[in-house]
Amino acid sequence: MRKFNLALFIAVLIVGVSARVIPTSAAPGLGDDPGRDLAEVSAIFSVTSAAPGKTYDAVAVVDIVPGWHINSARPTQDYLIAAMLAFDTLPGLTPHNIGYPAGKNVSLAGESMSVYDGRTIVRFAVTIDDSLAPGEYTLPLRFTYQACNDRECRAPQTPEIGLKITVGEEGDPVSSAIFGAAAAATPDEAPAESPAADSDLQRLIDEYGAWGYVLALGLAFITGLLLSFSPCTYPMVPITVSIFAGQDRSVGRG
């Protein structure tokens, strides 16, 4: 019994010493405090006071903790949680034209991912109804994000923030460092880029006029002819011959 108690005492002593020597933050996968907010989100309106009947710029500013990133608005994998700005309705204030910035491509766990890090600015517009009475308003916003680092990903978060808008006479611009810079965001409804083939065709037309169409058709014909000699067409030769031969039962025709 004494030997058992002594062994138990030694085991407890070793565990206690190990807990003191090894910091909690060094444990794999734990990282920072799990309850810590890894992205601080705020909203800024472009003027001190807005006149009814006009449209103004606004932004959601996302400051991400160093060493962490969040998935961009267009992640490269379908299973990832995309960054998304959403609005609650408020009579007289109409938010629209959200423009997310381009993500930064990084390689994590052998996969290419599109992420935001540091300070990220999401732009949008707010239209003030011409019948909205002067006063102070707060437009409710929600920003959904999932924070990750090179070891772990946290559960998605959706902090709620408010965009304060004063309606009255036309006010002065604010935050020129943000609103004065050229917008790097791309609206969600932006048209897709034209395919390369359309660009090549347009170049031929611009350079040769009507002959550009003839050149394009000639190139398409030659390309199709060359493709007909590719190895993948060889197995179809006996099948095609047998079909045409089977249409006429005469030996000579076959």
Side-chain angles (χ1 to χ4, degrees):
M1 187 67 176
R2 286 184 178 179
K3 292 181 179 180
F4 175 79
N5 291 336
L6 180 60
L8 180 61
F9 174 77
I10 293 174
V12 172
L13 182 61
I14 292 174
V15 171
V17 171
S18 300
R20 290 185 179 182
V21 173
I22 303 175
T24 304
S25 60
L30 289 180
D32 296 8
D33 179 10
R36 181 184 181 188
D37 291 333
L38 298 174
E40 181 180 348
V41 187
S42 58
I44 305 175
F45 198 56
S46 59
V47 293
T48 55
S49 179
K54 291 188 175 182
T55 298
Y56 297 88
D57 293 328
V59 295
V61 181
V62 185
D63 289 308
I64 305 165
V65 172
W68 291 80
H69 62 263
I70 65 175
N71 300 319
S72 74
R74 300 173 182 84
T76 52
Q77 285 79 21
D78 294 337
Y79 61 86
L80 296 176
I81 304 298
M84 183 177 65
L85 182 65
F87 308 94
D88 287 336
T89 58
L90 193 65
L93 299 175
T94 306
H96 54 91
N97 285 2
I98 301 177
Y100 297 98
K104 181 169 71 174
N105 292 325
V106 298
S107 180
L108 296 172
E111 293 185 349
S112 177
M113 296 185 178
S114 177
V115 302
Y116 299 143
D117 60 4
R119 167 163 284 193
T120 298
I121 297 177
V122 181
R123 302 176 185 270
F124 59 98
V126 179
T127 298
I128 314 297
D129 192 89
D130 55 6
S131 61
L132 188 63
E136 302 286 339
Y137 298 89
T138 300
L139 180 66
L141 311 177
R142 299 186 307 277
F143 185 75
T144 300
Y145 70 91
Q146 183 178 28
C148 300
N149 60 15
D150 57 354
R151 295 179 301 172
E152 61 175 318
C153 283
R154 296 287 176 83
Q157 302 290 326
T158 306
E160 297 184 359
I161 55 177
L163 176 64
K164 296 185 180 299
I165 300 175
T166 300
V167 177
E169 296 182 356
E170 185 76 23
D172 298 323
V174 299
S175 301
S176 58
I178 293 177
F179 295 102
T186 303
D188 288 344
E189 304 300 327
E193 295 182 358
S194 300
D198 291 347
S199 301
D200 294 339
L201 177 59
Q202 189 62 46
R203 274 199 299 271
L204 286 173
I205 296 172
D206 293 341
E207 186 172 353
Y208 298 103
W211 284 102
Y213 290 102
V214 178
L215 290 173
L217 290 174
L219 289 174
F221 174 77
I222 294 173
T223 303
L225 186 63
L226 293 175
L227 289 175
S228 67
F229 292 102
S230 60
C232 61
T233 62
Y234 295 160
M236 295 300 298
V237 173
I239 298 175
T240 305
V241 170
S242 64
I243 291 175
F244 282 103
Q247 293 178 355
D248 197 329
R249 296 302 178 181
S250 66
V251 177
R253 185 74 174 175

